[in-house]
Amino acid sequence: MENSSIRVAQLLRYGLDTGILHEDDEIFARNLLLDALGLDSYEAPESQVEVPPLPEILEALMDDAAARGVLEPDSVVFRDLFDARLMNCLLPRPSEVRRRFAEFISVDVKKSTDWFYKFSQDSNYIRRDRVVRDRKWKTPSDYGEIDITINLSKPEKDPRAIAAALHVKHSDYPACQLCKEAEGYAGRVNYPGRLSHRLIPVTLNGEPWFFQYSPYTYYNEHAIVLSAEHRPMVVSHAGMQRLLDFVRQFPHYFVGSNADLPIVGGSILTHDHFQGGNYQFAMDQAPAEWSFSLQRFPNVEGAAIKWPMSVLRLRSNDPVELAAAGSHILEQWRSYSDPELDILAFSRATPHNTITPIARRDGEVYVLDLVLRNNRTTDERPLGIFHPRPAYHHIKKENIGLIEVMGLAVLPARLKDELESVAECLLDGSDPLDNPAAAAHAEWILELRARYTRFDPETIRTLLEAETGKVFVGVLEDAGVFKRDEAGQAGLRRFAEHCDQ
């Protein structure tokens, strides 16, 4: 009991020190914690407790709860549900969070997002201890410095959680993980706990939306902006208006939408949402290669930029005209075909063309990047013609979504161990087919051996990071509908001219 009381006192002190818990609410929060932990009494420490790192406090409380049968079964998934319940005991209700956000934004919009981002971390909704596990580096390329990350922050489900999920009664509540109804939801084995989750309401183009941060922070202040209504993703004129309205209100952030078709879209197409944040990607800095005009939109400047994917950049001081110009290009692209370049808008009645739109501010100028996408497949390329080629699947096989489009690779966790095995094969000359973790990279290893005369243990990690980055640049070039060669760029010019007819 004494040890449990000390840990409870430490968690309360953590809440007070970070500001997520008000001193008037300390006793109330303590009693909530005792109830969650299955304790009916509390022994106050004789002196002020020292506060260790939050994960250490939570792990100790959960170890004790598991030993007493309160946390059952004791696995990663159920621990995540349980520690979210503990943290919620410290947190203010959504109305108080929104009131404080409004106070900050009335003074300085950046202070409001600074505060909310720190709150989302201090509440453990963003798990700092997991985010720091992600392996990150930058790779120089012809298109600027490309960001690479191996995502290690999402926990793997253990066998007990998988088995338990088979016996969970089907539920459509919340309808998806992006629904506003997720705020404060306790979670279940097949739905993450959201008790420590808080949303900030925003109005975009006259419509109710919400703003939050991603629990898996791939870049600084990785935000998610979601519709109050559960409805499918749609790239449209209204969507571009909402993007531009968001950067009007939050000028230090970018915001973008995944494409609205399978293969070229994001992982969640069932709920209309955007992603944004306070980060500058390589694509933001890509220079214009040639310009074009749209006579119907005289206050909009157009340019094609130097980027592995096909991007038309529009700039204007007038967000209304800019959204209309972006919508015009979208409408033209939806029905545009260039058979010589394998670009077909339809297969019978199935549409293939869409756009990944991204908005940001450059001082007083609004910028709208339109990334042209096509999701057509063939028997030879069942995952997509404009998708990473099979030779790249050992590094990246998944869809190329908004974040990757802008130049940040989100690579699977398996690569952490696999790249170490690749390094071993290169250093000792062993056959990668004899190493299960390196076998998928066998052809790549042969290519590297052909290009390099020797491998140094001191530099092998840096070399593999650079080579992984080169593969990802190739992935982006594969996703480009108009290739970077002469024929492809001529095709992009034809499309830009088509938009001005």
Side-chain angles (χ1 to χ4, degrees):
M1 175 61 67
E2 181 182 353
N3 188 55
S4 296
S5 293
I6 290 174
R7 292 301 187 180
V8 168
Q10 289 174 333
L11 188 55
L12 291 168
R13 187 73 252 166
Y14 167 86
L16 293 167
D17 289 347
T18 57
I20 61 175
L21 175 63
H22 192 281
E23 60 182 7
D24 290 350
D25 299 323
E26 182 179 1
I27 294 175
F28 184 80
R30 179 199 301 158
N31 289 331
L32 290 178
L33 285 169
L34 295 178
D35 178 63
L37 292 163
L39 301 171
D40 55 14
S41 63
Y42 175 79
E43 300 173 9
E46 295 181 359
S47 59
Q48 183 167 311
V49 294
E50 293 186 5
V51 183
L54 178 62
E56 182 179 324
I57 302 172
L58 293 173
E59 285 298 318
L61 286 169
M62 289 189 290
D63 287 345
D64 176 68
R68 293 183 290 107
V70 176
L71 172 56
E72 177 64 29
D74 184 12
S75 69
V76 172
V77 170
F78 290 96
R79 280 182 170 243
D80 281 0
L81 296 175
F82 194 79
D83 71 8
R85 184 181 177 191
L86 298 181
M87 291 304 301
N88 188 49
C89 296
L90 309 181
L91 300 180
R93 291 289 182 101
S95 58
E96 174 62 15
V97 174
R98 295 169 187 181
R99 185 191 66 78
R100 294 194 65 186
F101 185 87
E103 286 181 351
F104 280 107
I105 204 170
S106 67
V107 176
D108 185 322
V109 64
K110 188 175 184 304
K111 287 183 179 178
S112 69
T113 54
D114 287 347
W115 173 82
F116 187 46
Y117 188 57
K118 181 178 182 298
F119 174 87
S120 299
Q121 294 174 309
D122 291 341
S123 68
N124 208 40
Y125 181 70
I126 298 173
R127 297 173 182 266
R128 290 184 177 106
D129 59 314
R130 291 184 181 169
V131 172
V132 296
R133 298 177 194 170
D134 290 347
R135 184 172 163 188
K136 299 181 179 183
W137 68 90
K138 290 180 179 290
T139 295
S141 78
D142 291 341
Y143 309 101
E145 280 199 325
I146 304 296
D147 289 297
I148 310 291
T149 180
I150 297 178
N151 175 30
L152 303 173
S153 57
K154 287 187 179 181
E156 299 288 339
K157 284 191 175 181
D158 61 80
R160 285 171 293 183
I162 294 171
L166 297 175
H167 304 289
V168 173
K169 183 179 178 180
H170 175 72
S171 174
D172 289 326
Y173 182 87
C176 77
Q177 292 187 25
L178 293 180
C179 283
K180 63 180 185 294
E181 289 80 9
E183 186 178 35
Y185 186 64
R188 52 187 187 265
V189 67
N190 58 356
Y191 193 104
R194 292 292 184 254
L195 281 167
S196 59
H197 179 37
R198 300 293 184 267
L199 292 167
I200 300 297
V202 292
T203 300
L204 300 181
N205 196 36
E207 191 175 80
W209 281 57
F210 289 93
F211 162 59
Q212 66 171 79
Y213 288 106
S214 169
Y216 312 109
T217 309
Y218 295 137
Y219 50 85
N220 187 47
E221 298 177 45
H222 181 175
I224 299 175
V225 187
L226 54 99
S227 170
E229 179 187 359
H230 179 70
R231 66 189 186 204
M233 290 276 296
V234 177
V235 178
S236 64
H237 181 201
M240 294 183 194
Q241 289 176 311
R242 288 189 284 269
L243 292 174
L244 292 166
D245 195 18
F246 184 85
V247 297
R248 177 187 65 80
Q249 298 177 57
F250 299 89
H252 58 302
Y253 272 22
F254 82 90
V255 68
S257 170
N258 265 305
D260 53 0
L261 293 178
I263 297 177
V264 296
S267 58
I268 299 179
L269 294 177
T270 55
H271 196 116
D272 202 2
H273 70 285
F274 307 143
Q275 293 185 75
N278 187 9
Y279 192 73
Q280 188 172 65
F281 295 84
M283 194 180 84
D284 300 338
Q285 304 170 67
E289 291 192 307
W290 47 270
S291 61
F292 64 94
S293 60
L294 300 169
Q295 295 183 32
R296 292 172 54 183
F297 307 99
N299 297 310
V300 175
E301 299 174 355
I305 65 172
K306 183 181 179 181
W307 192 245
M309 297 183 69
S310 308
V311 185
L312 297 181
R313 175 168 293 164
L314 305 181
R315 294 169 57 90
S316 178
N317 287 325
D318 183 351
V320 174
E321 187 169 334
L322 183 59
S327 176
H328 171 71
I329 290 177
L330 172 65
E331 291 171 4
Q332 297 302 309
W333 178 244
R334 292 278 194 198
S335 59
Y336 188 83
S337 294
D338 192 332
E340 292 183 4
L341 299 177
D342 279 334
I343 300 171
L344 299 180
F346 294 92
S347 293
R348 296 183 179 178
T350 302
H352 296 305
N353 286 356
T354 185
I355 278 175
T356 300
I358 304 148
R360 68 179 189 283
R361 295 275 293 276
D362 181 7
E364 296 301 312
V365 177
Y366 289 82
V367 182
L368 190 60
D369 284 341
L370 305 175
V371 188
L372 307 179
R373 313 298 301 274
N374 178 289
N375 77 341
R376 191 164 71 90
T377 63
T378 63
D379 291 340
E380 296 77 23
R381 297 291 293 273
L383 296 181
I385 297 173
F386 304 104
H387 186 79
R389 67 189 67 181
Y392 293 154
H393 288 180
H394 66 107
I395 296 294
K396 180 71 176 178
K397 185 179 182 180
E398 299 78 13
N399 293 355
I400 305 304
L402 169 68
I403 296 172
E404 284 95 355
V405 162
M406 294 185 288
L408 191 158
V410 181
L411 302 181
R414 62 176 172 81
L415 284 177
K416 176 181 179 292
D417 294 333
E418 290 181 7
L419 289 179
E420 291 177 2
S421 294
V422 168
E424 291 174 8
C425 290
L426 292 173
L427 290 170
D428 63 20
S430 59
D431 186 345
L433 297 178
D434 293 334
N435 185 332
H441 304 276
E443 291 187 12
W444 189 44
I445 290 171
L446 292 177
E447 291 176 17
L448 294 176
R449 284 173 175 167
R451 284 197 280 119
Y452 294 93
T453 56
R454 63 185 297 273
F455 299 97
D456 186 338
E458 298 295 321
T459 59
I460 188 66
R461 175 169 174 151
T462 302
L463 183 146
L464 285 178
E465 287 180 347
E467 292 295 331
T468 300
K470 290 177 183 177
V471 171
F472 180 67
V473 170
V475 162
L476 292 182
E477 289 175 336
D478 280 359
V481 291
F482 294 102
K483 302 306 179 188
R484 293 292 302 168
D485 57 20
E486 185 176 345
Q489 291 305 290
L492 182 57
R493 284 181 179 271
R494 286 195 298 273
F495 173 66
E497 291 169 359
H498 171 81
C499 291
D500 196 32
Q501 294 176 1

